[in-house]
Amino acid sequence: MALITLIYVSSAVRPLTNSDIQDILRHSREANAKSDITGLLLFKGGNFMQVLEGDSELVDELHQKIINDSRHTGLITLIRSPIPKRSFSDWKMGFKNISQLTEEEKAAHSDYLDRPLNDTSYISNPNEAFILLQAFKNTVR
């Protein structure tokens, strides 16, 4: 089994409610458990950033489903690379809504939280996306 990590950003085609997001998470967690895919989903202002880890064929298959999902627009793949081990192995899909951070939580992070998740800085320097995801690794549910 060849492990890979894949990070992408996308935008929702319509405003999402908390219920919509919970439905997405429930479905993702069930499907990812069956495929042994792990990762983390960040949401802010209608934009998503997600890291997926797992067997390359299964992650690529899921990525294609996400690309074809009509709820997304402007999907950009930032990173797709082999990895020796998982960085987000604790979750079938961790989640953090950055829009709902408290002032105390915001103070613990730098000004990168002011940027949208689909900001060009992540596109021009995908490692910044990985750093952002890592920053929330221990704070997700």
Side-chain angles (χ1 to χ4, degrees), residues 15-139:
L16 297 174
T17 65
N18 282 338
S19 178
D20 293 332
I21 292 171
Q22 291 306 313
D23 287 343
I24 290 168
L25 288 172
R26 185 173 33 261
H27 176 74
S28 295
R29 288 172 176 154
E30 290 171 6
N32 291 354
K34 291 176 185 173
S35 298
D36 194 27
I37 292 175
T38 57
L40 172 64
L41 176 66
L42 300 179
F43 180 75
K44 180 184 178 196
N47 296 309
F48 295 98
M49 180 182 289
Q50 185 170 35
V51 58
L52 301 168
E53 298 174 327
D55 176 77
S56 60
E57 289 181 23
L58 297 173
V59 170
D60 287 339
E61 182 179 304
L62 175 57
H63 185 233
Q64 192 59 51
K65 286 181 185 176
I66 294 167
I67 288 170
N68 294 332
D69 189 330
S70 62
R71 297 175 293 183
H72 293 268
T73 188
L75 190 142
I76 299 169
T77 303
L78 303 176
I79 295 173
R80 184 200 178 280
S81 65
I83 53 173
K85 66 177 188 162
R86 298 172 194 252
S87 294
F88 298 89
S89 60
D90 293 340
W91 313 285
K92 295 305 173 193
M93 188 46 55
F95 174 73
K96 190 70 164 187
N97 187 337
I98 298 176
S99 302
Q100 297 177 344
L101 292 178
T102 66
E103 289 303 316
E104 185 178 309
E105 289 172 313
K106 288 178 188 175
H109 300 282
S110 67
D111 63 347
Y112 62 82
L113 292 180
D114 296 331
R115 292 186 245 165
L117 294 176
N118 62 350
D119 191 79
T120 56
S121 63
Y122 297 121
I123 297 163
S124 62
N125 186 1
N127 258 356
E128 286 194 26
F130 186 74
I131 291 167
L132 175 62
L133 289 155
Q134 285 284 345
F136 289 100
K137 182 178 177 180
N138 297 319
T139 67

